[in-house]
Amino acid sequence: MASSTITTTTLSDLPDVILSNICALVADTRARNSLSLVSRKFLALERSTRSHLTLRGNARDLHLLPGCFRSISHLDLSFLSPWGHSLLSSLPIDHQNLLALRLRLCFPSVSSLAVYARSPTSLELLLPQWPRIRHVKLVRWHQRASHIPLGGDFVSIFEHCGGSLESLDLSAFYHWTEDLPPVLLRYADVAARLTRLNLLTASFNEGYKSSEIVDITRACPNLTDFRVACTFDPRYFEFVGDETLSAVSTNCPKLTLLHMVDTAAALTSPRAVPGNDAGDSAVTVGTLVEFFSALPCLEELVLDVGRNVKQSGVALEALNSKCKKLRALKLGQFHGVCSATEWRLDGVALCGGLQSLSIKNSVDLSDMGLVAIGRGCCKLSKFEIQGCENVTVKGVRTMVTLLRKTLTDVRISCCKNLDATASLKAVEPIYDRIKKLHIDCVWSSLEEEGGVEETSHDDDEYERSQKRCKYSSDEALNGFCSEDRVWEKLEYLSLWISVGEFLTPLPMTGLHDCPNLEEIRIKIEGDCRGKRKPSEPELGLSCLALYPKLSKMQLDCGDTIGYALTAPPLQMDLSLWERFFLTGIGNLSLSELDYWPPQDRDVNQRSLSLPGAGLLQECLTLRKLFIHGTAHEHFMNFLLRIPNLRDVQLREDYYPAPENDMSTEMRVGSCSRFEDQLNSRNIID
């Protein structure tokens, strides 16, 4: 009797078309790399479906690029080392041309390019290699060189990509506002084909002037995505008012996404709460109605004015009737967004199609207004409230309850009546559904009950359990104890904390059980000058070890100001503050860390200190470390003791990035030597 053979069907037996579609849906880089190691067939499928690639490593090694990524359409060269230097500029001219040609041979299908362009030379070398580029993103945090002629940064883009250019992103590129309009007018045929233009850069003091915005929109009538930093303050020359808004809507009627953001209010001081004394803007309700009527295709709108826009409810009702496709809305300093008189829906509450809503610094928004928004905007999945001093726990909690089926992303900040404990009580109705959350670490309610000091010294588990119940108890909770609360789907947590405060009370507010929390962002802000030494030796990062899946962290101390050199008596310099911030970080099982060191603005210095480097080396599980500042070479060598560290880079991605290269910080040779040592190590996996 012949023996029967058993055949097993595997993933490899699927048709190549289906396998290609599966591979194309894999976004994680490490997962794709693992997939390519399965077999030659999977290697070919992975390479043929990879469309995005960010190159790291040193620019001097570009000749070693493999030629197997021929399907790449989106290429990012802005993170090549040494960071912040013009690509290929340090090489002889003949070598520059050869390496540019090598890039084209390795990536022949590029249609989107991002590059750090400290001078126009890099663009003049690269852009001729890909004449069909449709999207260009420029990055530059250094100051614009004065010898560059007006518009010189953009001429090569419009000359070499004129036949296909559709999108230009200058959101991370420092330039003068008068650079762009003349180039758009000079290359009118290219400008007329642009559909996306991003001018939302934080490096401006005043942003684009009214006449410049009018010229830009007139030159680009087919824009569907327009983002611009400007000034709405009537005290400034050529501020944005009714005439500018009317010109934008008239010149670009096809807009589906529009962001107009005041530089002072939203970019320079994003957490400022001006109150009633901010002054009025020059934007009137009648013009807003006409503005919305002229843009029927709008899907996303951001108007962060920074000055009072009063009685805006009527205009927002027109927004609902005129812009039927609107799905995302952010309003800054609008009054009367929802008055909610006699339980009648009005204002923004009538925009029932919204999926994302952000309300900032609305001085008259009340709990009843939030309830009306919850009733009317029943499709909201993301909600942000900032600087609204009249809202309380009851209003936010009721709105969240009404939106329980859809709401998964909530941000609460700068609200006087919503500290950390109150914010968590407010979002408690969706504790089992929420995926992203931001709160301010203000412990006022805990301090009233003496909770902050106790949490620092009491190690008894029973006492901790009793405190959690006490801090979370409230008549509105009907006896529901935080001990029973499991934030099952929370994946991302964002925290703001004032310098000198502690993170240790966080678990006591009810956030102690987050089994799937993978990423956390902590923003520490304030002036260390004048503050005495904290009563405890650490901020409290070790308390985050409660979260078993936490692997990614962004620790931003960039807006923490202090003394980089010698501090006055009884005060700490930034190195001691850095020790306070980072103590305990070694207790976390992090694989990725972005760290912004504190700064001394008087000397424009953001540098990793000796205590900071010593504490970072204790993060033994790190694979990626990006320090957004400078560091001495011998401090960086501490990081070589992290066994599986694969990717390290110093990035001065703040304005103005230091110009000189005379110290031991961020020199090209120093960075190259460190990278050579890092790459020469044997990594287990």
Side-chain angles (χ1 to χ4, degrees):
M1 184 175 180
S3 59
S4 60
T5 58
I6 300 176
T7 59
T8 303
T9 302
T10 64
L11 187 64
S12 300
D13 297 321
L14 292 174
D16 289 350
V17 176
I18 297 178
L19 283 176
S20 296
N21 291 333
I22 294 174
C23 291
L25 294 174
V26 179
D28 182 69
T29 302
R30 295 203 71 198
R32 295 190 68 97
N33 292 340
S34 300
L35 182 66
S36 66
L37 297 175
V38 174
S39 65
R40 291 183 180 275
K41 178 179 180 179
F42 277 66
L43 172 63
L45 285 171
E46 194 282 326
R47 294 296 188 258
S48 64
T49 57
R50 183 177 291 209
S51 60
H52 292 66
L53 184 65
T54 298
L55 281 185
R56 285 284 291 107
N58 202 296
R60 66 182 179 181
D61 300 325
L62 285 177
H63 64 282
L64 300 177
L65 280 174
C68 54
F69 295 98
R70 304 186 65 81
S71 298
I72 296 297
S73 59
H74 294 70
L75 181 62
D76 191 344
L77 303 176
S78 63
F79 294 111
L80 283 170
S81 293
W83 187 93
H85 291 263
S86 294
L87 185 63
L88 311 177
S89 61
S90 60
L91 302 174
I93 295 179
D94 54 341
H95 290 191
Q96 294 177 9
N97 294 327
L98 287 174
L99 286 179
L101 180 61
R102 175 65 179 171
L103 283 170
R104 186 185 70 181
L105 294 176
C106 292
F107 309 109
S109 305
V110 171
S111 61
S112 174
L113 179 67
V115 61
Y116 197 101
R118 197 161 174 177
S119 69
T121 308
S122 301
L123 296 175
E124 293 170 358
L125 286 169
L126 293 173
L127 292 179
Q129 310 301 327
W130 299 289
R132 297 181 180 178
I133 284 183
R134 296 195 303 270
H135 170 76
V136 175
K137 178 179 180 179
L138 302 184
V139 180
R140 180 171 68 196
W141 293 96
H142 292 82
Q143 297 187 53
R144 179 191 185 280
S146 57
H147 63 80
I148 299 175
L150 198 64
D153 287 310
F154 310 124
V155 170
S156 57
I157 298 176
F158 286 82
E159 283 187 351
H160 297 295
C161 307
S164 56
L165 188 65
E166 298 176 359
S167 173
L168 181 60
D169 187 348
L170 304 178
S171 59
F173 184 74
Y174 176 71
H175 58 283
W176 296 343
T177 59
E178 55 266 32
D179 276 326
L180 186 59
V183 179
L184 293 175
L185 296 176
R186 177 180 173 184
Y187 298 91
D189 55 336
V190 181
R193 287 192 291 267
L194 284 177
T195 58
R196 293 188 296 273
L197 183 59
N198 190 343
L199 307 176
L200 202 58
T201 173
S203 60
F204 292 143
N205 290 326
E206 299 179 9
Y208 277 85
K209 298 180 176 63
S210 173
S211 61
E212 292 168 342
I213 294 175
V214 172
D215 291 341
I216 291 171
T217 53
R218 185 184 295 118
C220 307
N222 292 310
L223 285 178
T224 59
D225 182 336
F226 182 47
R227 314 178 197 207
V228 62
C230 52
T231 299
F232 286 91
D233 192 339
R235 297 174 298 178
Y236 283 77
F237 177 68
E238 287 208 45
F239 62 90
V240 172
D242 286 347
E243 294 182 1
T244 312
L245 292 181
S246 299
V248 170
S249 60
T250 302
N251 295 335
C252 302
K254 300 178 182 179
L255 283 173
T256 59
L257 187 150
L258 176 62
H259 291 194
M260 299 186 72
V261 177
D262 185 86
T263 52
L267 300 177
T268 307
S269 305
R271 290 182 56 88
V273 183
N276 287 313
D277 300 330
D280 296 339
S281 70
V283 177
T284 61
V285 174
T287 299
L288 284 176
V289 173
E290 297 175 359
F291 179 69
F292 299 146
S293 301
L295 298 173
C297 299
L298 270 183
E299 298 177 10
E300 181 175 333
L301 174 64
V302 174
L303 288 177
D304 199 342
V305 178
R307 312 289 291 180
N308 298 329
V309 181
K310 295 184 175 180
Q311 300 177 352
S312 63
V314 175
L316 296 177
E317 293 176 8
L319 178 64
N320 170 60
S321 60
K322 303 298 182 182
C323 305
K324 297 290 186 180
K325 298 180 180 180
L326 191 67
R327 296 294 177 263
L329 176 64
K330 180 174 181 179
L331 302 173
Q333 219 142 322
F334 276 60
H335 296 192
V337 293
C338 184
S339 58
T341 56
E342 300 180 357
W343 289 93
R344 181 180 63 86
L345 297 182
D346 65 347
V348 75
L350 292 175
C351 300
L354 286 179
Q355 298 174 3
S356 174
L357 176 62
S358 175
I359 302 176
K360 176 182 176 182
N361 296 341
S362 181
V363 297
D364 57 354
L365 182 65
S366 64
D367 287 344
M368 292 301 295
L370 289 180
V371 173
I373 292 173
R375 291 169 52 213
C377 304
C378 55
K379 297 181 180 179
L380 281 182
S381 61
K382 179 179 179 180
F383 178 71
E384 177 181 6
I385 186 170
Q386 177 180 340
C388 299
E389 299 188 347
N390 292 329
V391 300
T392 65
V393 177
K394 292 182 179 179
V396 179
R397 184 182 174 89
T398 304
M399 187 201 71
V400 167
T401 303
L402 292 170
L403 297 171
R404 173 175 168 75
K405 293 183 179 181
T406 59
L407 196 61
T408 59
D409 187 346
V410 179
R411 297 179 58 88
I412 302 174
S413 58
C414 303
C415 296
K416 181 175 63 176
N417 299 316
L418 294 171
D419 60 5
T421 304
S423 297
L424 291 174
K425 288 179 182 178
V427 300
E428 183 208 86
I430 57 171
Y431 76 94
D432 57 340
R433 292 181 49 85
I434 190 169
K435 296 181 180 180
K436 295 183 178 182
L437 175 65
H438 171 87
I439 60 172
D440 289 349
C441 293
V442 179
W443 315 116
S444 54
S445 60
L446 294 183
E447 291 173 354
E448 291 174 2
E449 305 202 26
V452 171
E453 292 185 2
E454 293 180 40
T455 58
S456 300
H457 302 286
D458 193 351
D459 295 327
D460 184 80
E461 187 62 31
Y462 175 77
E463 291 295 331
R464 288 177 179 268
S465 174
Q466 295 302 310
K467 288 175 194 172
R468 293 188 192 110
C469 295
K470 179 176 69 173
Y471 296 146
S472 301
S473 62
D474 191 87
E475 293 181 1
L477 297 180
N478 296 321
F480 181 79
C481 176
S482 66
E483 190 71 25
D484 303 322
R485 188 186 309 162
V486 180
W487 302 75
E488 185 69 32
K489 296 185 178 181
L490 187 64
E491 300 173 351
Y492 175 86
L493 178 63
S494 174
L495 305 171
W496 176 90
I497 186 167
S498 177
V499 65
E501 297 294 329
F502 303 100
L503 196 61
T504 45
L506 180 66
M508 301 303 170
T509 60
L511 271 179
H512 64 285
D513 197 350
C514 305
N516 294 305
L517 182 64
E518 297 179 355
E519 183 175 357
I520 189 168
R521 177 180 175 87
I522 302 174
K523 173 78 171 180
I524 306 173
E525 185 176 352
D527 195 340
C528 300
R529 299 170 297 185
K531 288 187 177 292
R532 293 181 176 271
K533 182 179 179 180
S535 58
E536 298 295 329
E538 62 175 293
L539 173 70
L541 290 181
S542 55
C543 74
L544 302 178
L546 289 169
Y547 309 128
K549 290 189 177 181
L550 183 63
S551 59
K552 300 178 182 179
M553 175 183 285
Q554 299 175 48
L555 182 58
D556 188 353
C557 307
D559 287 327
T560 300
I561 306 168
Y563 298 103
L565 305 175
T566 304
L570 302 179
Q571 296 187 35
M572 301 195 305
D573 60 27
L574 286 182
S575 65
L576 298 180
W577 277 107
E578 200 165 20
R579 173 184 292 168
F580 170 76
F581 296 145
L582 290 174
T583 297
I585 196 170
N587 298 328
L588 309 180
S589 300
L590 299 176
S591 61
E592 297 183 20
L593 174 63
D594 280 79
Y595 175 58
W596 287 259
Q599 64 166 313
D600 187 334
R601 289 182 177 173
D602 293 337
V603 294
N604 189 30
Q605 181 174 340
R606 305 189 190 198
S607 182
L608 182 69
S609 64
L610 175 60
L615 290 166
L616 287 179
Q617 74 171 346
E618 297 177 1
C619 301
L620 300 180
T621 58
L622 274 183
R623 295 186 63 88
K624 294 184 178 182
L625 173 61
F626 302 119
I627 300 173
H628 301 262
T630 62
H632 292 280
E633 182 179 0
H634 54 287
F635 292 170
M636 293 295 292
N637 289 334
F638 288 15
L639 305 177
L640 297 173
R641 302 175 186 177
I642 303 175
N644 289 319
L645 190 62
R646 295 291 302 271
D647 196 358
V648 183
Q649 192 170 48
L650 298 177
R651 299 174 179 171
E652 298 169 299
D653 49 358
Y654 53 89
Y655 179 79
E659 291 288 342
N660 64 70
D661 200 34
M662 301 301 293
S663 70
T664 57
E665 298 180 343
M666 290 299 291
R667 289 191 299 186
V668 174
S670 302
C671 291
S672 299
R673 286 191 295 270
F674 172 77
E675 288 175 351
D676 290 341
Q677 295 182 71
L678 183 69
N679 296 330
S680 64
R681 302 184 309 160
N682 182 30
I683 305 298
I684 297 175
D685 59 345

